[in-house]
Amino acid sequence: MVMKKNMGKADRIIRLIMAVIFVVLFATNVVQGTLGIILLILAGIFVLTSLIRFCPLYKPFRIHTNKKGSETRKAV
């Protein structure tokens, strides 16, 4: 199974910012316990999907935030 890139630059940047926020909240003990662990797991997922430029949840809904995937072919 080939994973086609379906995430654009803005989507990747937003995910990375969210990941940093989640880690900082956990590291500063603003969020603790189970919620903190869940946020750390989400941060890891956000970083991973940003690096590979593919979000598996976008595929079934045919969502593409990258320009290449969202373009439609025009009839010539």
Side-chain angles (χ1 to χ4, degrees):
M1 182 168 138
V2 177
M3 293 186 300
K4 293 184 179 180
K5 297 175 184 174
N6 63 5
M7 290 178 56
K9 187 174 183 178
D11 192 359
R12 291 179 18 235
I13 291 170
I14 291 168
R15 286 172 183 253
L16 289 173
I17 291 170
M18 293 292 293
V20 169
I21 291 170
F22 291 166
V23 170
V24 168
L25 287 174
F26 185 78
T28 58
N29 290 326
V30 173
V31 178
Q32 301 174 359
T34 305
L35 180 59
I37 300 298
I38 291 170
L39 289 181
L40 284 180
I41 292 169
L42 280 175
I45 292 170
F46 285 170
V47 169
L48 179 65
T49 56
S50 294
L51 292 176
I52 63 173
R53 299 178 184 179
F54 177 77
C55 178
L57 291 177
Y58 284 0
K59 188 164 176 94
F61 300 106
R62 297 183 180 179
I63 297 171
H64 299 275
T65 59
N66 62 343
K67 292 179 184 176
K68 193 172 189 177
S70 62
E71 291 177 354
T72 55
R73 293 188 178 256
K74 295 181 181 179
V76 178

